[in-house]
Amino acid sequence: MKSDSVVIIPTYNEKENISNIIHALLKLEHQFDILVIDDNSPDGTAAIVERLIEEIPERIHLVKRSGKQGLGTAYIAGFKWALQHDYEYVIEMDADFSHRPEDLVPLYNACANDGADLSVGSRYISGVNVVNWPMGRVLMSYYASAYVRIVRAANHRPRRCGI
């Protein structure tokens, strides 16, 4: 049975993580479908996903792109795919476990069961919560998050449901 929600995972050279993150998502109490957007990873990430699809074709999906096109366009491609396949809830996360799979269920419940229009998980709600990131990536992520908060506050104040 198709889920009402899909998790978009953009990948480029994630062979070390992709199987583990997919299996972690499949074990959650809510049934999330999984969409991997792979940018022609030279390490064989897409081939690993294709093998997993053979095991569970109804839950795992793959979009292979011709080359490294970037994270933003991967999410756009994923959202378009999700809309074409009538998913009600769309979640995005990284393959490297920088987002905790177990946080997806409360984020989903905030919208599906508690009436929130938007649910945001952030590694900055209680300080900075990242592991093994170079300082440049931490700063870029932190300031991008701050920018989104400022823009959102200027335009709309949705109910806050963070993890």
Side-chain angles (χ1 to χ4, degrees), residues 19-34 56 59-60 97 101-102 104-105:
S19 181
N20 290 333
I21 195 77
I22 288 174
H23 282 103
L25 292 170
L26 292 172
K27 291 178 186 174
L28 294 173
E29 64 189 62
H30 177 77
Q31 178 179 313
F32 294 100
D33 287 351
I34 301 163
I56 312 169
R59 302 267 315 274
I60 306 169
F97 285 90
E102 59 270 20
L104 297 187
V105 174

Side-chain angles (χ1 to χ4, degrees), residues 66-118:
S66 61
K68 191 170 183 182
Q69 299 177 41
L71 184 62
T73 61
Y75 281 132
I76 291 169
F79 275 94
K80 286 180 179 179
W81 186 96
L83 290 170
Q84 290 169 349
H85 290 85
D86 297 321
Y87 284 95
E88 189 167 351
Y89 304 99
V90 182
I91 299 160
E92 55 185 55
M93 69 181 298
D94 294 338
D96 65 0
F97 285 90
S98 62
H99 304 115
R100 297 177 345 157
E102 59 270 20
D103 289 338
L104 297 187
V105 174
L107 290 167
Y108 167 82
N109 285 334
C111 292
N113 300 323
D114 298 339
D117 294 324
L118 174 69

